[in-house]
Amino acid sequence: MTTLTPVATRSQATPLTSSAIKSILRKPTTVLGRRSREEDGESSDGLPGSSPAKKRKTVMFNDKLNMIKEFGGKTLDDAKREVKQALEGHARGDDEDYDGLKEIFCPSPKRTIVEEEDADAPQPQDLQVYVVALTSHAPLLDRSCSGLIRAVLNCTWLDRDDVFARAYIQLLAALSAKVYFRQQALSMMVDKFTETRSSTVEVVPGFPPVDSETKKERLHLGLKYLLELYADARPMILDIVTHNFPHTEESKTRHMEYIDHLLRLKVDKLDLERDIMELILSRLVKLDVEMTLDLENDDDETTRAVLRQLEASNAKSDDEDDDAMSDADSDDEDEEESDEQTRRILLLKSKLETMDAILDLLFSIYDPVFADPDSPEALATFEDLLTDFVNVILPHLKSRHTQYLLFKFAMKSNRLMEMFIGTLFNIAFQSTRAPVVKQAAVAYLASFTARGARVQSDQVQLIAQTFLDYIDHYRNTHTSCRGPDIRRYGQYYAYFQGLLYIFCFRWRDLIDRDEVPASFDWDDPASFLGQDLPWMKGLRQRLQVNIASKLNPLKCCSPIIVDEFARLSHHLRLIYIYPQIEKNKTIHLSQFFTSSYATGGALRDSGFEFDHENWTHIEACFPFDPFQLPVAKRWLDLDKNYVEWRSIAMLEKGGDDDSDSDDEDDDDVSEDGMGEIGDASDYESDEEVEAGGVEHDDESTDEERDDGYHGSFRRI
């Protein structure tokens, strides 16, 4: 039996043949950034960046290149002999030397204490020569050596010196020649993504402390080397980084550290760039949707408490935030219900901070690319963003903030804006798309048109005209309609609600400016009240026909949007719809749902209440509602790019509810409750204009009114 103890040194090691691994034990080189091979000064030494023409499938290890003949009293030949004997003994069932070899790579605490008193035992410095020795015998390792492989992978290698790190990477490359070891090696390296920013520096005896940046450089040197050696390592690494991505409840610090490594990996391996950016975006959307649902399910007081906590923590450092979170968790373990609420508030705050930090980082990455928004690079990058938008963001209409990546950069130029609008129209009209995705595209179109300050008047009119064309075509092709049915005609109601939403924000852009008298003040909405305005051609008539149709869109659109449209269109003398709204109160949609059971076209009765708003109305969910994240908000230039909700001052002076004016018009309503739908001027007088309107707190600001515009959608 041979023990793993020092033997007499030899002046020179004997060259040996290894598996298909190129030596990387040359002078250190950075892998960050992009450099030409001429600048690298590397040739055939196996480092990332060496010439492909000189790559060989079988490479001779040169111990002179490795510069490891003797280390800590152990020669390379002696270490090779011991490693070989241990592996051969393990194959025969004799594991004494094999277990000793495992202890060298991953010593137990008990053994470490013993070695401090045993001068003949292998020291930490001896590990390097065993790394090189094991590399030369890597072909002898198989699945039966899984214990040794685990010990090797658990070795502390980032906290030593550069020479050791490069020798260890060479060992990983040799082990990775076998697929089942390759997966383990890549997993170990990805696990290090969240360990390189440890607040406590782990010092290996005999080596100086290593800073976080150096650890990252060594880690990505190894990753780049393995990815260049093995073609199938690319899908492996993508699966691993996807699986290991931090959960939404983990800290902001952990998320940002992991994403930093992903971005370095993107630089190391450029063909991973698209997959990595899509991964980051998809996890951001997941967090965004989760936050929206959480806040929708919480009461207003919880939401306000989260906002207060978020504002109070803006001046704190990341570490302070994480410590506060962990302290809160430990202190709250045995508390009552009030402390459970406190813990939830802190958790929601942590998620919001994480989302804010990730989105802020993405803005900082993309913003320099769009310095020249019409450059080929900017156009190509925006096309990539559109692809990610279609695949990742669009299917999740509950996303509240991630889509502002598209909003910001689409506002950079008219060409980018048209690319975004064109993409949305293509999806909305694509017959092969799922209805929910098509309706989401319509909501994005309406919200972008309403909120985008750089969307010009002619573009607003063109989009509104397209919406009108669609609802007219839909109505004409569904003449057999018996009554409103959100499940059957959801696409129609999505377009109609989008049109109402656009009108509420951009009604001045739907006026023919060439026909407006010069006395009108475009900056003073009140100057338009009580006037016969030259609306866009066909707007009034086509709205009248659709509202009066059996599809009855006012019944299925969100009541909040319908009420706001009714108020504005009434006072702007476009159309008067209050009689139809009153009639709709007597219509129960369940009568139309019930008739569909006979044809098998509806869900079977399972106890659902079909008169519930979720089943009878299109949700008032528009993707570009006000942006609330405090840090990332700085990138958006909202003063120049965003249309805030603004009330008409004269309307806000009216204290009576619109229902009062409805009562004044009872004579215009027929016996069955259905009044004629016509011009607003047919039903109103100047006195009615003054009396109409919705009550608001006089002290509330326009921003507060914008914040509460959609009661069905929780504001963050």
Side-chain angles (χ1 to χ4, degrees):
M1 179 181 68
T2 302
T3 58
L4 300 176
T5 55
V7 296
T9 61
R10 302 178 62 175
S11 61
Q12 185 170 346
T14 305
L16 53 100
T17 303
S18 83
S19 57
I21 305 300
K22 298 181 286 298
S23 172
I24 65 167
L25 302 178
R26 283 281 195 173
K27 60 184 180 181
T29 182
T30 180
V31 299
L32 301 177
R34 300 167 65 179
R35 302 190 304 168
S36 66
R37 297 188 180 98
E38 292 76 13
E39 291 173 335
D40 287 340
E42 304 291 345
S43 56
S44 60
D45 60 354
L47 278 172
S50 60
S51 173
K54 297 185 179 181
K55 288 184 179 179
R56 297 173 296 183
K57 289 188 175 181
T58 301
V59 179
M60 297 291 293
F61 278 103
N62 187 330
D63 291 334
K64 292 182 179 179
L65 269 183
N66 290 336
M67 297 181 293
I68 301 175
K69 307 174 192 174
E70 178 179 324
F71 204 103
K74 178 72 65 176
T75 67
L76 182 58
D77 274 350
D78 293 334
K80 288 178 182 177
R81 187 164 47 252
E82 292 175 14
V83 169
K84 182 178 181 182
Q85 186 165 336
L87 295 177
E88 290 175 346
H90 175 67
R92 296 191 305 268
D94 181 4
D95 286 344
E96 184 172 355
D97 292 341
Y98 176 79
D99 291 339
L101 186 59
K102 289 194 296 182
E103 285 287 332
I104 291 177
F105 281 94
C106 191
S108 63
K110 182 178 179 180
R111 174 173 180 129
T112 303
I113 296 174
V114 172
E115 287 177 351
E116 291 178 356
E117 302 174 356
D118 185 1
D120 293 332
Q123 300 300 310
Q125 296 87 345
D126 292 335
L127 182 59
Q128 184 167 312
V129 76
Y130 282 100
V131 167
V132 178
L134 187 59
T135 302
S136 66
H137 291 296
L140 298 178
L141 297 167
D142 55 24
R143 292 181 185 272
S144 68
C145 299
S146 59
L148 176 59
I149 296 301
R150 282 195 298 271
V152 170
L153 296 180
N154 289 330
C155 165
T156 305
W157 64 282
L158 294 176
D159 299 279
R160 300 174 187 260
D161 58 17
D162 283 336
V163 176
F164 180 91
R166 295 165 74 81
Y168 185 83
I169 292 170
Q170 185 73 36
L171 172 58
L172 292 179
L175 296 176
S176 298
K178 297 179 180 178
V179 176
Y180 43 88
F181 291 152
R182 189 180 311 152
Q183 179 87 19
Q184 295 180 52
L186 291 172
S187 295
M188 177 274 293
M189 301 177 88
V190 173
D191 287 340
K192 300 287 185 186
F193 280 9
T194 53
E195 299 175 11
T196 53
R197 192 187 177 275
S198 176
S199 56
T200 58
V201 178
E202 182 177 357
V203 179
V204 177
F207 296 92
V210 180
D211 62 86
S212 174
E213 184 62 28
T214 301
K215 291 181 184 180
K216 293 178 181 180
E217 290 178 359
R218 292 173 180 173
L219 181 60
H220 285 275
L221 175 66
L223 275 172
K224 183 176 182 181
Y225 187 52
L226 295 185
L227 291 172
E228 288 185 349
L229 275 178
Y230 303 106
D232 64 345
R234 181 184 182 279
M236 282 186 184
I237 195 69
L238 286 175
D239 288 341
I240 294 169
V241 297
T242 300
H243 180 267
N244 285 27
F245 202 98
H247 296 295
T248 56
E249 295 186 357
E250 296 190 54
S251 70
K252 178 182 76 173
T253 301
R254 191 174 183 87
H255 273 86
M256 299 310 294
E257 181 71 5
Y258 195 87
I259 290 173
D260 177 64
H261 281 283
L262 290 180
L263 296 176
R264 290 171 184 258
L265 181 61
K266 172 177 72 73
V267 173
D268 296 341
K269 196 67 175 170
L270 292 178
D271 60 344
L272 293 175
E273 180 174 5
R274 293 291 304 116
D275 297 288
I276 288 175
M277 296 308 296
E278 183 172 330
L279 170 62
I280 296 173
L281 204 61
S282 67
R283 294 313 174 97
L284 177 60
V285 169
K286 180 181 179 181
L287 184 59
D288 199 350
V289 172
E290 190 174 301
M291 278 304 309
T292 299
L293 295 176
D294 284 344
L295 292 176
E296 282 185 347
N297 294 329
D298 283 320
D299 54 32
D300 292 338
E301 180 56 37
T302 300
T303 303
R304 286 192 291 269
V306 172
L307 286 174
R308 288 194 297 268
Q309 287 285 334
L310 192 62
E311 292 171 358
S313 67
N314 282 342
K316 294 181 180 180
S317 65
D318 294 344
D319 292 335
E320 288 174 340
D321 287 340
D322 291 339
D323 292 341
M325 185 68 188
S326 61
D327 291 342
D329 289 342
S330 61
D331 292 340
D332 290 339
E333 285 181 1
D334 301 320
E335 298 297 334
E336 299 295 333
E337 183 178 348
S338 60
D339 294 319
E340 178 68 25
Q341 181 73 355
T342 300
R343 188 161 55 248
R344 175 160 180 78
I345 289 172
L346 290 175
L347 177 60
L348 292 176
K349 166 183 163 289
S350 176
K351 288 184 178 181
L352 276 173
E353 289 177 329
T354 300
M355 183 166 59
D356 196 5
I358 296 174
L359 196 52
D360 182 67
L361 175 63
L362 292 178
F363 277 128
S364 69
I365 291 172
Y366 284 115
D367 192 63
V369 179
F370 292 93
D372 179 4
D374 293 321
S375 66
E377 183 183 10
L379 294 175
T381 301
F382 195 73
E383 287 179 356
D384 291 339
L385 279 174
L386 285 175
T387 300
D388 291 339
F389 168 78
V390 173
N391 296 333
V392 177
I393 303 176
L394 184 62
H396 302 282
L397 194 55
K398 288 291 186 180
S399 174
R400 284 279 288 107
H401 296 93
T402 311
Q403 57 266 26
Y404 270 89
L405 282 169
L406 280 297
F407 185 92
K408 171 183 171 58
F409 299 119
M411 291 291 159
K412 287 283 188 176
S413 76
N414 194 58
R415 185 173 181 180
L416 297 179
M417 188 184 303
E418 290 177 351
M419 288 172 64
F420 185 46
I421 293 173
T423 298
L424 291 172
F425 266 124
N426 288 338
I427 295 171
F429 290 138
Q430 200 169 29
S431 60
T432 57
R433 292 279 182 180
V436 65
V437 175
K438 294 164 67 176
Q439 291 178 28
V442 174
Y444 268 96
L445 272 168
S447 189
F448 184 77
T449 306
R451 295 290 195 171
R454 296 185 184 274
V455 181
Q456 301 301 312
S457 295
D458 58 338
Q459 293 173 307
V460 174
Q461 290 198 18
L462 179 60
I463 293 170
Q465 186 72 40
T466 305
F467 276 39
L468 284 167
D469 290 343
Y470 180 87
I471 61 177
D472 280 346
H473 173 75
Y474 197 100
R475 175 177 50 80
N476 291 330
T477 55
H478 290 77
T479 55
S480 61
C481 170
R482 297 181 63 252
D485 188 338
I486 190 175
R487 295 170 303 139
R488 287 188 173 185
Y489 314 123
Q491 196 70 6
Y492 172 84
Y493 299 127
Y495 273 94
F496 194 90
Q497 179 167 283
L499 185 60
L500 300 188
Y501 188 81
I502 292 173
F503 180 88
C504 289
F505 281 88
R506 305 297 295 267
W507 56 267
R508 277 173 290 181
D509 294 300
L510 298 178
I511 297 174
D512 187 349
R513 293 195 173 219
D514 294 336
E515 302 295 329
V516 175
S519 59
F520 280 53
D521 185 358
W522 288 95
D523 295 325
D524 180 16
S527 66
F528 291 84
L529 293 177
Q531 306 294 328
D532 291 324
L533 302 173
W535 295 102
M536 181 183 76
K537 183 178 180 181
L539 178 63
R540 174 183 288 123
Q541 294 77 11
R542 297 169 81 175
L543 283 173
Q544 290 172 343
V545 172
N546 280 277
I547 290 173
S549 71
K550 289 184 177 181
L551 287 165
N552 195 357
L554 296 183
K555 179 64 178 176
C556 292
C557 291
S558 168
I560 297 172
I561 297 177
V562 170
D563 290 345
E564 187 60 38
F565 172 77
R567 187 168 69 95
L568 283 172
S569 63
H570 173 58
H571 293 303
L572 293 170
R573 299 195 177 211
L574 171 66
I575 189 173
Y576 188 74
I577 62 174
Y578 285 110
Q580 179 68 39
I581 293 176
E582 287 301 312
K583 180 186 177 182
N584 285 343
K585 294 177 181 178
T586 67
I587 297 176
H588 298 284
L589 296 183
S590 57
Q591 61 182 300
F592 302 105
F593 293 150
T594 303
S595 65
S596 64
Y597 284 111
T599 63
L603 296 173
R604 300 306 175 190
D605 188 2
S606 56
F608 289 113
E609 178 56 61
F610 288 110
D611 280 340
H612 190 276
E613 185 175 320
N614 291 341
W615 290 91
T616 60
H617 296 94
I618 294 287
E619 185 176 9
C621 182
F622 288 90
F624 296 114
D625 282 343
F627 189 92
Q628 301 292 343
L629 300 180
V631 178
K633 194 174 185 177
R634 63 194 174 100
W635 296 97
L636 295 177
D637 297 326
L638 293 177
D639 292 340
K640 299 178 181 177
N641 296 329
Y642 193 73
V643 176
E644 298 279 358
W645 171 247
R646 303 295 184 188
S647 61
I648 301 177
M650 184 175 290
L651 294 182
E652 294 304 321
K653 293 178 182 178
D656 299 330
D657 189 270
D658 285 322
S659 59
D660 296 338
S661 62
D662 296 341
D663 296 337
E664 297 172 8
D665 296 297
D666 283 342
D667 294 340
D668 296 318
V669 183
S670 60
E671 292 181 1
D672 63 356
M674 175 62 183
E676 179 185 0
I677 300 174
D679 295 353
S681 57
D682 295 339
Y683 299 93
E684 66 177 28
S685 64
D686 292 340
E687 290 77 9
E688 287 175 296
V689 172
E690 288 190 26
V694 178
E695 292 185 4
H696 287 285
D697 184 355
D698 291 339
E699 296 180 358
S700 64
T701 64
D702 288 335
E703 289 75 16
E704 289 171 339
R705 291 167 192 163
D706 193 6
D707 222 23
Y709 180 59
H710 297 312
S712 63
F713 193 79
R714 178 80 62 195
R715 287 282 183 262
I716 297 178

